[in-house]
Amino acid sequence: MKYMMFVCTDAEPDTDREEWPDIEAWVAENDARGRRLRGAELAAETAATTVRVRGGELILSDGPFAETKEVIVGFDLLECADLDEAIEVARAHPMARAGRLELRPFADSEQ
């Protein structure tokens, strides 16, 4: 199954002093195993543009629309056997400690 993993900041990161996983090692391992199909860091939220149409009128807003302290800063497209495997992949990502990761399966698992 394919999962989109949104990489987000978090107002309450882990305060444990244990060494955090290395992102380069996480990427290399998951690329080698074929579980990470693509991923990228996103530009700062200040570069975002929100697009809406209301009553036929185009409405553009600078920045993200949601009023939140957490911001999506990147993504990874994962190919995993099931949700349990996707959770294990996410658990090892450094942002599981510094931020939060949202796993979302594609509506059509054949995509």
Side-chain angles (χ1 to χ4, degrees):
M1 288 186 69
K2 286 189 175 63
Y3 291 88
M4 179 63 73
M5 182 173 74
F6 295 103
V7 181
C8 307
T9 62
D10 194 326
E12 298 178 15
D14 187 6
T15 58
D16 188 345
R17 297 276 186 228
E18 182 182 325
E19 187 175 331
W20 290 12
D22 175 61
I23 187 63
E24 303 298 330
W26 183 91
V27 168
E29 176 182 349
N30 288 289
D31 282 356
R33 290 181 163 200
R35 297 188 299 200
R36 180 179 174 273
L37 304 178
R38 179 160 168 67
E41 184 177 352
L42 300 175
E45 66 273 12
T46 55
T49 300
T50 299
V51 178
R52 295 179 287 161
V53 175
R54 299 294 184 270
E57 181 182 342
L58 174 64
I59 302 168
L60 300 176
S61 303
D62 291 336
F65 179 71
E67 297 292 329
T68 180
K69 292 180 184 176
E70 294 81 23
V71 177
I72 298 172
V73 295
F75 73 93
D76 290 285
L77 176 59
L78 305 176
E79 176 75 47
C80 297
D82 53 28
L83 179 58
D84 290 336
E85 183 180 12
I87 290 169
E88 286 305 309
V89 171
R91 179 181 187 187
H93 193 287
M95 283 300 282
R97 305 243 342 249
R100 63 180 65 197
L101 300 165
E102 178 183 329
L103 293 169
R104 194 177 303 180
F106 282 80
D108 177 2
S109 62
E110 297 303 312
Q111 291 185 20

